Amino acid sequence: MEAMQLDSQKTFHRKHSTYHCFVSFLLLAILFFLFLLDFSFTSFLCCVPMQLLLFSTFFFFFFFFLFYQKEVLFFLGLIKSLKINQDETYEITKEIYGGQQYSQIYFARLHMMRTVLYSLVPDWKPHFPVCTVLGLEKDKECIIVGTLYKHMKLKPCILDEYSKERSAIPLVKPHNFMHPDDHLVLEDESGRVKLSSDVLLPSIYVTGVVVALHGKETDAGDFLVLDVLEAGLAPQVDVPLNSREDKYVVFVSGLSVGNNASNPLQYQLLVDHITGHLGDEKEQGSAAEIVHVVVAGNSVEVPAGLLNGQNLTSKDQTRLSEPIIELDILLTQIAAGVPVDIMPGSNDPANFSLPQQPLNRCLLPGSATYNTFRSCTNPHCFELDNIRFVGTSGQNIDDLSIYSDGDDKLDFMERTLKWRHLAPTAPNTLGCYPFIDKDPFLIESCPHVYFAGNQDKYGTRLITGSEGQVVRIISIPKFSETGIAVVLNMRNLECHTLTFGTSI
Amino acid sequence: MNRNSNNRKRPPQTPQPPPPTKHQAISPNGDEEFVDEDVFLEETLIAQDEENLMLRDVASRIDKWTRPALSSGYVSQSLSIIFQQLEIDYVIGESHTKLLADRSGPAAIIRIFGVTKEGNSVCCHVHGFEPYFYISCPPGMGPDDISRFHQILEGRMREVNRNSKAPKFVLRIELVQKRSIMYYQQQPSYPFLKIVVALPTMVASCRSILDKGIHIDGLGTKSFMTYESNVLFALRFMIDCNIVGGNWIEIPAGKYNKTSRTLSYCQLEFDCLYSELISHAPEGEFSKMAPFRILSFDIECAGRKGHFPEPTHDPVIQVANLVTMQGEKQPFVRNVMTLKSCAPIVGVDVMSFDTEKEVLLAWRDFIREVDPDVIIGYNICKFDLPYLIERAEALGISEFPVLGRIRNSRVRVKDTTFSSRQYGTRESKEVTVEGRVQFDLLQAMQRDYKLSSYSLNSVSSHFLSEQKEDVHHSIIADLQNGNAETRRRLAVYCLKDAYLPQRLLDKLMYIYNYVEMARVTGVPISFLLSRGQSIKVLSQLLRKAKQKGLVIPNVKQSGSEQGTYEGATVLEARAGFYENPIATLDFASLYPSIMMAYNLCYCTLVTPEDVRKLNLPPECVNKTPSGETFVKSDLQKGILPEILEELLTARKRAKADLKEAKDPLDKAVLDGRQLALKVSANSVYGFTGATIGQLPCLEISSSVTSYGRQMIEHTKRLVEDKFTILRGYEHNAEVIYGDTDSVMVQFGVPTVEEAMKLGREAADYISGTFTKPIKLEFEKVYYPYLLISKKRYAGLFWTNPEKFDKMDTKGIETVRRDNCLLVKNLVTECLHKILIDRDVPGAVQYVKNTISDLLMNRVDLSLLVITKGLTKTGDDYEVKAAHVELAERMRKRDAATAPNVGDRVPYVIIKAAKGAKAYERSEDPIYVLENSIPIDPQYYLENQISKPLLRIFEPILKNASKELLHGSHTRSISISTPSNGGIMKFAKKQLSCIGCKAIISGSDRTLCSHCKGREAELYCKTVSQVSELELLFGRLWTQCQECQGSLHQDVLCTSRDCPIFYRRKKAQKDMAEAKRQLDRWNF
């Protein structure tokens, strides 16, 4: 709990850093003026302690500048937008795999979400008491808060893979594990209760979502759900829009460099467009407004079958490293012009479980030398001119589409926002690091832009929350398959696509 | 306490002597000799005032627990009482003065316990039934002689039973006309003496007097052969009253009296005369089951570190109970009684007590109020019940062990040894809980299923496809000493262990199957588990014999001196891989058919002297291939054939009814019945062959097998004569193999359909040449068929030409526990590839890859774990065994977690100094994992996988051994370096380059200068390993959460039977290591 609070303080601190920067810059200026003054009063120089003080203050501000370089530069108008990276929650540095298990992450999640839901209950159903699963009494209407668990008949089970006799008929692997018999169970620390309801559809919810339920225990011992309360969109920091100039952020995902089907020309067109080497003046003009590029996962495709623990022949070594070098070259070109963030995806040479850690610098030695280049975690969270961006390379959404139903991927994305959790199925079906005291995927502050990479097709939607929160949701298609990059205008959060066709 | 392992619940080392009962001792062979044990009513009762002290917690729950109230008809005694009886026993009490005016002194009173269809419990005291047996009457004995004989016998009896207070021993001797069942006799009956004694135990003492010889004036000393003197009293009663186990009994209104003194906790308790009972045959309305109550329970005990719990030291900390009404899906009472506070559990009534005494007494009160008819559990007979009783004794709670239905009657515990040819010898405890049937699922499992392990975990994963979490007994004390939450955790676990037996019972339809078995064979339900097969046959034989006026001699058991006889024949197997369909011709219930066809029975057997003397016409007798002579049925119909006929017709009828039945409950009953009938029919043959059985008759059994052999040969000859090219068939048929009752024929035709046609034709043709009802049936086709040797084969099983049903294997190591999982996987996969995919090269390649993986140390450790049960301590073993040695070594390392006697010890074979014995090389898999000790692949290759593999491949490949075990794939070997011990203590650790393993030092932390250029590639390799491990880690641990049924609680399970246990452990360790490797890249 303590760690959580600390984290939120830190974000607060960062949010106001523009202001800090401004103040400190003023101080710096005054000090510099004093320093000049110092020269004129040579007698002053003799006073060694004073001199020391002056120098130390100077150094202090020098380091301050080093730290808040970007802010200072932005303030001076030397860079176009101010980006603050907020990936700390997703970074795994000191943690090691000891004996920890997954119960802690559920516990932390339930704890945090319960605080949120409890605060909402008085406005929702003020007349009903709040119970735990254990305190349920037959036919007494009440409200319970807990983690949902979806019992799924078709869910693949690792035990079967190991223990079952090989069946004579090969199994057909469905793309979705839904079954009409699936049912939901609500669990808190005290126990579990089976849910029966018409309002709480098992097809929509997944294991790991925390909700408040209004209902009563039936004779059969089930809990009959009459109404459901989701946490809804998290509070959002208001950002004045429309008063700004056009600034564009480009999202691209699924580059899959090295994929047999990929076309190098397509990549080059993308790079050239971003860096303003393409098209007429008008187009170059709009390209000049691009302030940031996000590469959301699956940037490179390493030939399968090479990484099986065997020693590689030198030919295979080249086959393995070639796509990575190629990607490095592309990124170097972009980084030379525009700040670029790269996130790891499911196929990238990165770890498997969420949060995925940044791609190692040694993979991209060329682009890593630019300070405009940043290798980020997945999920990735950053602020650009106070607009908050949160996004993933798509694993969380894909997993939801396997274990629940929805019309399109945007539905799943919207749900995760409303559940205030980026990846509710982690750790149940989505790999996840066993955190001890926190659940990093909780959405404590609602983003303005929420994206998911590596989806089948482009889609976007603007949703508004009950407290006036506005979120732009974007599903970014795979570039290698569609040739589409998504452009977001930060002035009004409008979205459009760039399509790079190579067929003549 | 850990409930999952069968052996874990071993009897405590110092069993306290059974409560003092003055009666004679314990039967040495549970199965083979039946001894009645008289229990005197008064002796077992304890002072009245000790009951009625009920705990407050219990009192508040009585409403939920008690049975439905009696209807007014029962109260006013105006209704006939109709109930399903479940348990019949007897006690010795005073003769009922009103019902039996002319009798006095102690007499045996039969007690029948049961349930009416309203769910009221019944205890019926039946009076007037007397124990008796027969002896053959010496020729020329008149009525006077009989009364003199009576006096002599009475005198001798008084001598033997000096301390008995009975006024009279031999009540009367009657002259009856009977005939011995043994041998064909022309005369219809001979005079026999029926000796009626006062008490059941007197039968045995009287018998021994008569066996030894008795001096009768005028006749001299003469020893008598006794007849039916070994029949248990309760069974005798059932036979004479035509009662079968689990049937419905009616006592008409007015024929019963309420007992003057209520002795039991049953709602309806009354006296009646045995002649008033109406026993209903289990048909129609009376084939249903009464709503009896089934209690499933489990206890947990807090053992001391390193010790198995002993009742003298270790407290009982929790008792979980589930009570289910027969026929209902959900239990209506779920509760757990805990020592010290316990956090509440959803849907469970948690009762916490401060002292152990209260826990025990609460449980006793619970039993009394809920009044279960059947008590089930896992290993309750050997562990839970005796433990509770001995614990109560250790604590000095004398009022605890009143668990039966008789007021103030203490439960009695005694050690028994059960030995049977079929089930082997088992030591067990017998806990007499009067009026309640005990059904230990463990015993039932061991009886009915051949499993590699009988732990509750593996049994439930086998039948319910569910892994059970397993809490190691060393943790239990910690959980108990924690807080209310940790005790709740334990309680949840305990409840689950109580629920699983109930689910197994439902899933395997044990209630239906066992009640039906009791009804078919006519023995009480409790006999089915506690006794062997022979009593079932004996019961049927006695019933039949009674109808025919025959009596069964009590043959002195001559041990195995009678020798053995030739068993069934097995035709030489022509080993090979058959890619043509192989038709299988089966004899339908061969042995019963033979006995019926040739009228083989005790009473049709003609002794060799009689063959000469009687001069029977040859058309009236059958001379069996083994040289015995039996008369044909027109002279004398055999009893055994008659029993068999009835069983088989009943089975046919049950099967026909089963097809018609709609209601799933009816179906369950009928299916149970037909199964019981089949098993019973098959056990008749075994009964005649059991040399230390009740009535062995090797003439019959050897005749049966000789006919069997003849028939197999006959079939083979006929098939090979008829289905030839000469006779117009396309191919010459060939019999490739024949077992006890089946013949495998290769007709040479290429398709399943044609093989089926010919198979049917052959079956019809050959059946025609046999005496009815022997019938050859065509059932299935194997295609393809891999015949390895006698009793070992595998094939795809076809019963219709379109699609195969399954893969059928016999005698191939796919299930044996001695082997490691690798063998099982390898064999299964190879058979799959060979038989289903028809891909022999693929199978060979697969074997090669696996062997290569094994040698390259890439095989998952859990596949290599071998498990053996530790049945006694190290010193008791004569030969040093790997698992025993390991257990000793582990005890030295840490006594708390080392395996105890009764545990299963898992181990792997590790690499050690040259020439070290295999038993020195065993090691704990977890220790191996933690210290990366290298395993010995050569051992696994030579001792584990080579034999089964060669067996499969030898019929297929020419030089299988060379090809599979010595090919080029065996040349590269990789062995992991141990992290401690031995030479590694002297080694200095240094970082080496991830790329080329060169030692690096100084500023380089990851790669040497030569490998710097390959950074990206090497990083990809490291990270891909990490990501694979992460995937595995996540899936394994979430699976364990799923099994335990909770997301918010830590997984505690340490079930070593679980296929993912080692993997989970390994994933955890590998993950930490891989992460460390990955971190080296963050320079």
Side-chain angles (χ1 to χ4, degrees), chain B residues 288-576:
Chain B
K288 291 214 161 57
M289 299 277 175
F292 44 84
R293 296 177 158 210
I294 303 166
L295 164 74
S296 179
F297 82 102
D298 183 49
I299 66 169
E300 299 296 327
C301 332
R304 291 148 297 144
K305 288 265 179 229
H307 291 271
F308 191 86
E310 283 169 27
T312 39
H313 295 104
D314 303 309
V316 173
I317 52 177
Q318 295 191 340
V319 187
N321 304 292
L322 293 169
V323 187
T324 315
M325 202 85 87
Q326 164 59 29
E328 278 176 23
K329 288 201 179 69
Q330 292 294 325
F332 68 96
V333 173
R334 294 165 200 255
N335 63 29
V336 60
M337 294 155 187
T338 64
L339 180 62
K340 294 203 219 150
S341 66
C342 173
I345 303 167
V346 179
V348 176
D349 185 6
V350 178
M351 288 175 267
S352 301
F353 302 95
D354 293 330
T355 63
E356 215 184 324
K357 182 174 178 176
E358 286 173 294
V359 175
L360 292 176
L361 290 183
W363 194 68
R364 178 203 64 175
D365 292 341
F366 168 74
I367 296 284
R368 186 182 298 166
E369 294 309 323
V370 163
D371 191 22
D373 301 287
V374 183
I375 299 179
I376 66 166
Y378 211 75
N379 204 6
I380 48 167
C381 289
K382 218 170 145 190
F383 181 80
D384 295 31
L385 281 172
Y387 195 99
L388 283 171
I389 290 154
E390 283 161 24
R391 183 66 192 157
E393 179 135 349
L395 291 174
I397 311 171
S398 60
E399 65 269 38
F400 170 73
V402 185
L403 302 173
R405 275 183 162 156
I406 298 301
R407 261 173 221 273
N408 304 320
S409 166
R410 280 215 186 87
V411 164
R412 298 178 297 281
V413 187
K414 65 177 187 187
D415 291 306
T416 58
T417 317
F418 173 92
S419 75
S420 152
R421 263 232 313 222
Q422 196 169 356
Y423 307 123
T425 305
R426 282 201 308 259
E427 280 177 18
S428 162
K429 298 209 165 201
E430 198 179 298
V431 181
T432 330
V433 181
E434 285 157 317
R436 309 192 201 281
V437 179
Q438 292 164 53
F439 192 92
D440 190 335
L441 264 290
L442 171 64
Q443 287 180 356
M445 289 293 160
Q446 286 176 330
R447 221 158 227 270
D448 298 350
Y449 298 94
K450 284 260 170 293
L451 297 179
S452 52
S453 158
Y454 291 99
S455 69
L456 181 53
N457 186 4
S458 76
V459 167
S460 63
S461 90
H462 188 266
F463 291 107
L464 308 169
S465 16
E466 236 177 60
Q467 289 288 335
K468 179 188 97 75
E469 73 171 322
D470 186 358
V471 178
H472 194 260
H473 50 75
S474 60
I475 304 180
I476 288 181
D478 298 340
L479 288 173
Q480 170 68 10
N481 296 333
N483 51 26
E485 280 298 324
T486 61
R487 284 189 286 271
R488 171 182 186 276
R489 187 79 182 71
L490 191 59
V492 170
Y493 168 74
C494 187
L495 276 161
K496 205 165 182 182
D497 276 9
Y499 192 32
L500 281 173
Q502 176 68 46
R503 293 196 39 205
L504 283 171
L505 191 84
D506 292 345
K507 173 90 186 185
L508 300 174
M509 315 258 268
Y510 261 131
I511 292 292
Y512 296 105
N513 293 350
Y514 269 69
V515 169
E516 282 307 317
M517 178 60 94
R519 285 173 175 177
V520 166
T521 57
V523 298
I525 297 165
S526 55
F527 280 23
L528 295 177
L529 270 185
S530 60
R531 301 184 191 273
Q533 287 286 355
S534 63
I535 187 137
K536 294 192 233 168
V537 182
L538 185 68
S539 154
Q540 285 166 281
L541 205 56
L542 283 166
R543 280 164 200 271
K544 202 83 214 165
K546 187 174 152 37
Q547 285 174 18
K548 303 259 167 185
L550 298 178
V551 287
I552 295 172
N554 184 24
V555 182
K556 257 275 141 256
Q557 290 172 9
S558 51
S560 51
E561 282 161 31
Q562 286 191 336
T564 49
Y565 55 93
E566 203 182 336
T569 198
V570 181
L571 292 181
E572 200 51 50
R574 295 189 199 166

Side-chain angles (χ1 to χ4, degrees), chain B residues 149 152-153 156 209-210 212-216 220-222 224:
Chain B
F149 175 62
I152 295 167
L153 195 58
R156 287 291 304 274
I209 290 167
L210 291 169
K212 277 188 209 124
I214 186 165
H215 183 83
I216 305 169
T221 304
K222 196 168 164 31
F224 289 87

